[in-house]
Amino acid sequence: MFAIFCKRIFRVIPNDCCIFVAQRFWATDYTATFFRSCSTTVCENVSQNKSFTISYLVNSCGLSQNDAVSASKYLCLNVKSPEKPDAVLKLLREHGFTDAHISKFVTRWPKVLLSRNPNKTLLPKLQFFYSIGVPRPVLAQKLSLHPFILMRSLEKSIIPSYNVLKGLLGSDERVVVAFSRAPSNFGRCRSGGVSSNVSMFRERGVPQSTIVALAVHVPWLLVVVKERLAAYIDRAVKMGFDVSKFTFILAIRVFNEMTVSTLKRKMEVYRRCGWTESEVDAAFVKLPSCMSLSEKKIATNMEFFVNELGYKPGAIAQRPLLLHFSLEKRIKPRCLVAGILNRNGLLKNNQKGLLNIGCVVSLLNLSEETFLKKYIVKYVKDIPELLDIYLGKVKS
């Protein structure tokens, strides 16, 4: 009766404090006092829970204050009994999740802390990934960035996705590589969409080796809408890409990541830098990722190679890899060292005062360790200050 009475005379205003407002014609001093008391108690409880939740997220999960406040909107932990979140954190730590992993994991999926029985809901999924060979550190790192994988059903989503990839790639080792590159695909490959896309690749003459390479290196392309993927393949073939080469896969990736108008704009930037139409097309076919560079990076790197080092724009077009390196962190300091060595007659492959552009490509492509050994340590007796010049401590 009391519940019916309350239902008839009160309405609930959606509010953090759950304020109950009495309709005027039913209001009495007694009921007003009674419900003010209830409202105050509810507000106090909500406030305590919210305060505890934020404190727990900061102190136990490592979230920042701002992230904790944001995450607290999605859950309200029990002030008296933090058993559920403690059990979740315990499980994660037992399976290699560091404090940094947990912080990222909970920030992206706060409601995981409300899991009733993590040993039944989360553990079997972790064990499945271990069973196919995913190393614990890799799994913790990937799940901390993509926790929603654990929201998916093991039987209806994760395992079917694994079966599709295993059937295509042929081994757990390759499936693990695909998982490491695109964890989000687990749960999206279970439908016939992937099989349909694979069939479409084959119909267009793409060999199995290329399809497998695509599935391993850019597996997210497997779940692109079939019509869009078919259009990308047709564009790549029309532009002269060989479907048996890895550059074909890179072209498909570029088409998927940018609109036609964006790609045209990037090509226009290269033309403004002195490349001819044919040079732009040839560079794209040689290294499709050159179109993924920012317009600023393209312009500043081209300006340095042309205006500072004196190379013709067409020479750079033939070696688009040059534009991928960091201007300040790699190109300038390494070219400075090579220039000093060249002026001192220590490099044999200079051409009319210029560094041979092939030499520049090689020195920029070296690992830091190898560069230091070949271009610094080797000549330190001839030029003792060379390392300090390279590190920017001494001006040349």
Side-chain angles (χ1 to χ4, degrees), residues 239 241 263-288 290-291 313-314 317-318 320:
M239 292 187 70
F241 284 93
L263 183 57
K264 287 182 177 179
R265 192 172 67 246
K266 295 288 183 71
M267 291 180 167
E268 178 58 31
V269 173
Y270 283 113
R271 285 191 284 269
R272 290 201 302 268
C273 290
W275 293 14
T276 65
E277 191 76 33
S278 61
E279 287 171 341
V280 173
D281 292 342
F284 183 38
V285 172
K286 181 175 289 187
L287 189 63
C290 70
M291 295 301 166
Q318 294 175 17

Side-chain angles (χ1 to χ4, degrees), residues 74-85:
Y74 300 97
L75 68 159
C76 193
L77 304 179
N78 192 311
V79 177
K80 297 180 180 179
S81 179
E83 291 180 8
K84 290 180 184 178

Side-chain angles (χ1 to χ4, degrees), residues 85-295:
D86 284 350
V88 171
L89 297 184
K90 181 176 182 292
L91 175 68
L92 294 177
R93 290 193 170 99
E94 287 175 348
H95 288 270
F97 282 71
T98 64
D99 290 343
H101 290 148
I102 289 174
S103 176
K104 293 176 183 177
F105 188 89
V106 174
T107 298
R108 289 168 171 77
W109 186 22
K111 288 186 177 180
V112 69
L113 297 176
L114 301 179
S115 299
R116 291 186 177 181
N117 191 339
N119 285 327
K120 289 185 177 180
T121 57
L122 302 179
L123 181 58
K125 299 170 188 178
L126 297 176
Q127 291 174 331
F128 171 78
F129 283 111
Y130 298 147
S131 73
I132 67 173
V134 181
R136 289 197 175 203
V138 172
L139 187 61
Q141 194 268 334
K142 296 303 177 182
L143 292 180
S144 69
L145 298 175
H146 304 276
F148 53 83
I149 295 170
L150 296 183
M151 300 181 200
R152 295 169 177 163
S153 167
L154 179 61
E155 291 76 16
K156 296 180 180 179
S157 183
I158 295 176
I159 292 178
S161 292
Y162 160 76
N163 290 335
V164 170
L165 291 173
K166 177 69 177 290
L168 176 62
L169 300 176
S171 70
D172 283 346
E173 290 77 11
R174 286 178 170 177
V175 173
V176 170
V177 173
F179 169 78
S180 300
R181 293 180 183 273
S184 60
N185 267 24
F186 267 78
R188 299 173 64 194
C189 296
R190 65 189 185 279
S191 66
V194 172
S195 299
S196 179
N197 282 344
V198 170
S199 297
M200 183 263 297
F201 271 111
R202 290 171 179 154
E203 291 168 2
R204 282 170 164 71
V206 180
Q208 180 70 11
S209 59
T210 300
I211 298 172
V212 170
L214 181 146
V216 171
H217 295 282
V218 283
W220 55 90
L221 291 178
L222 290 173
V223 294
V224 172
V225 175
K226 182 179 179 180
E227 290 72 22
R228 284 173 53 197
L229 194 56
Y232 299 155
I233 295 172
D234 292 341
R235 284 174 64 190
V237 171
K238 186 177 180 180
M239 292 187 70
F241 284 93
D242 184 342
V243 296
S244 66
K245 303 294 185 183
F246 191 70
T247 49
F248 168 77
I249 297 173
L250 297 179
I252 300 298
R253 177 178 180 176
V254 169
F255 293 148
N256 185 58
E257 291 176 348
M258 63 179 66
T259 63
V260 174
S261 60
T262 300
L263 183 57
K264 287 182 177 179
R265 192 172 67 246
K266 295 288 183 71
M267 291 180 167
E268 178 58 31
V269 173
Y270 283 113
R271 285 191 284 269
R272 290 201 302 268
C273 290
W275 293 14
T276 65
E277 191 76 33
S278 61
E279 287 171 341
V280 173
D281 292 342
F284 183 38
V285 172
K286 181 175 289 187
L287 189 63
S289 57
C290 70
M291 295 301 166
S292 298
L293 302 175
S294 70
E295 295 177 34

Side-chain angles (χ1 to χ4, degrees), residues 26-43:
W26 280 100
T28 67
D29 290 342
Y30 175 77
T31 55
T33 300
F34 174 76
F35 283 103
R36 273 198 300 270
S37 175
C38 289
S39 177
T40 300
T41 301
V42 171
C43 288

